[in-house]
Amino acid sequence: MKRVLSSLILTVFSLVAVAASEKVVESSAKKAPDWLFGMETGYIITTAESSTMEMARTLAMQAVKERIVSSVAEHIESEVSMLMSETTTNNDIEALTVFSKQVRSKSADIPFINDISEAHVEAYYWEKVQIDKNVYAYRYNIKYPFSSLKIRAIIMEFKEHQA
């Protein structure tokens, strides 16, 4: 999960960095949909980029599953520490303060979200983008329905499974 999250973060930063120099060569629709890069109640919207269309679609679907898992059962730990040291040499005081904060996130194993599949995708949009002279990438965007009723049902199932 950390690897996919890291790749998604890197993808977002790379999109911002090269947005001015890239060109959309091909797309699934003439105009990008309104839901693209937005948020809508009752939906999970994901984007993934890869060198092949199939891999981009797989990564986007995997991101949907990861968001569902993290919305149902994610345990977040936070640790804060502060180290202070003071040294006196010839009446000169030298102080050093080190502050660190670490946040860890771990998702529970949820084996019963098997019905999350491409068959339920409400909308998708893909683009083939020319990044450099001979470098192309595919971006795949998914709009997946995920209502609060569905969240509650999965949470109930998760709690029953835990008990």
Side-chain angles (χ1 to χ4, degrees), residues 19-35:
S21 65
E22 64 186 31
K23 177 183 173 188
V24 176
V25 177
E26 204 177 328
S27 66
S28 60
K30 287 185 179 184
K31 183 183 171 211
D34 293 336
W35 55 265

Side-chain angles (χ1 to χ4, degrees), residues 133-148:
K133 187 174 185 176
N134 294 320
V135 179
Y136 295 91
Y138 289 90
R139 265 190 219 121
Y140 205 89
N141 307 277
I142 292 177
K143 181 179 180 184
Y144 194 89
F146 193 60
S147 66
S148 58

